[in-house]
Amino acid sequence: MGKRAEALELAILGLLHDAPLHGYELRKRVNSLLGWGRAFSYGTLYPTLKAMVRQNYLAEDEPADTMVTAAPHRSGRRGRIAYRLTPEGKERFAELLTQTGPSAWDDEHFGVHFAFFGRADADTRMRILIGRRSRLQEKLDQFRSALSRTRERLDAYTLELQRHGLESVEREVKWLDDLISAEQRSIDRPPGASPTPGAGEPPAPPTGNEGENGR
C-alpha cells in the first residue's frame, strides 16, 4: 500500500469512528481533512472503501432518510450507502494511531495523524512531533545549503520563490517547537493540577501552505 493510500485509510477510519457516513459526505470530509492539494474524487475513494469492506474494517448499511443527502449523485445507488466502522475497523484505527515511525512524520501522513491527535496518548503525540521537527530541520539545513550555493545563479523571481519556501519551513519548525513545549508542559503537570492558562493547548497552525511549500 502506498503512502497516499495509507493516509487515506487512516482518514476514513478516523472520520467514521464516531458515526456512519454515506459516501458523498465522507468524500467531502476526507478532502477537507487532507487539503485542497490532495482532493479525492469519488472514483478514487470508492475502491478504497470497497477494499476496506473486504478487509472487514467497514460495513455497508442503507442509511436512514435523515442521512441521505439531497445532492445529486452520478453513481446513483452508490450515494445511498452508509459506511460504519466494524470492531475490526476500530482496532485498526487504534493500531494506526500508535504508529510513530518515520512514515508518521512525512508529508502524506503527518497532517492526518495530527488531525486525530486528540485520540492519541501524550507519548505518541510527542514522538510524532519530535520526528516531524527532525525531518523538517534536515530539509531546512539542506535548503539553506543549496540556496547559498546557487543564489548567484538564480534570477530574482526564482530566488524569491526559494526564499518563500525557506520561510514557510522555518514557520512550521517554529510551530512544532511551540507544540512540543505545550505537550511537555502537559506531561510534566502533576496529576490533578489545574493547568495554567494556555498551557497544554496547541498553538494555532502556521498560516498559508507551509506544508506544501516545505516539501
Side-chain angles (χ1 to χ4, degrees):
M1 182 182 292
K3 291 183 178 181
R4 200 175 195 222
E6 291 175 354
L8 180 56
E9 179 187 15
L10 177 58
I12 291 169
L13 292 171
L15 290 171
L16 292 176
H17 192 273
D18 292 329
L21 292 169
H22 55 69
Y24 178 77
E25 181 63 25
L26 181 58
R27 181 175 66 85
K28 289 196 302 182
R29 296 194 186 188
V30 166
N31 285 337
S32 177
L33 177 65
L34 298 183
W36 64 268
R38 290 181 287 172
F40 288 90
S41 67
Y42 199 75
T44 301
L45 180 63
Y46 184 68
T48 302
L49 292 172
K50 286 300 184 183
M52 295 174 72
V53 169
R54 291 193 299 270
Q55 293 170 310
N56 204 31
Y57 295 152
L58 303 181
E60 295 177 320
D61 293 326
E62 289 294 331
D65 291 343
T66 54
M67 297 179 62
V68 179
T69 180
H73 295 276
R74 294 180 180 178
S75 50
R77 179 180 172 80
R78 183 181 303 171
R80 298 194 297 272
I81 295 175
Y83 296 90
R84 60 178 171 83
L85 253 61
T86 63
E88 292 82 0
K90 291 183 178 181
E91 290 180 4
R92 175 62 173 166
F93 179 58
E95 175 190 342
L96 292 176
L97 277 184
T98 63
Q99 293 182 357
T100 60
S103 65
W105 318 337
D106 64 27
D107 296 330
E108 290 288 350
H109 285 80
F110 174 73
V112 184
H113 275 276
F114 189 81
F116 301 116
F117 259 18
R119 300 183 184 276
D121 60 64
D123 183 63
T124 295
R125 293 195 299 266
M126 183 65 84
R127 287 175 181 272
I128 293 176
L129 289 172
I130 291 175
R132 176 65 174 175
R133 190 199 182 284
S134 175
R135 177 68 54 81
L136 285 183
Q137 188 62 55
E138 291 177 2
K139 288 186 177 181
L140 195 57
D141 293 342
Q142 293 171 359
F143 204 164
R144 287 169 174 163
S145 177
L147 186 59
S148 66
R149 294 194 305 268
T150 60
R151 183 183 299 273
E152 294 181 357
R153 300 196 297 271
L154 299 176
D155 62 48
Y157 295 103
T158 303
L159 186 61
E160 183 63 21
L161 183 62
Q162 295 288 326
R163 185 188 64 80
H164 175 66
L166 180 63
E167 291 177 351
S168 296
V169 180
E170 289 174 338
R171 283 195 295 271
E172 187 170 350
V173 169
K174 173 60 169 60
W175 174 63
L176 289 166
D177 284 339
D178 292 342
L179 284 168
I180 291 169
S181 296
E183 287 291 338
Q184 191 62 59
R185 289 195 298 270
S186 179
I187 292 171
D188 293 341
R189 186 185 309 139
S194 299
T196 55
E201 298 177 0
T207 58
N209 298 320
E210 285 81 359
E212 297 293 328
N213 290 318
R215 294 177 186 175

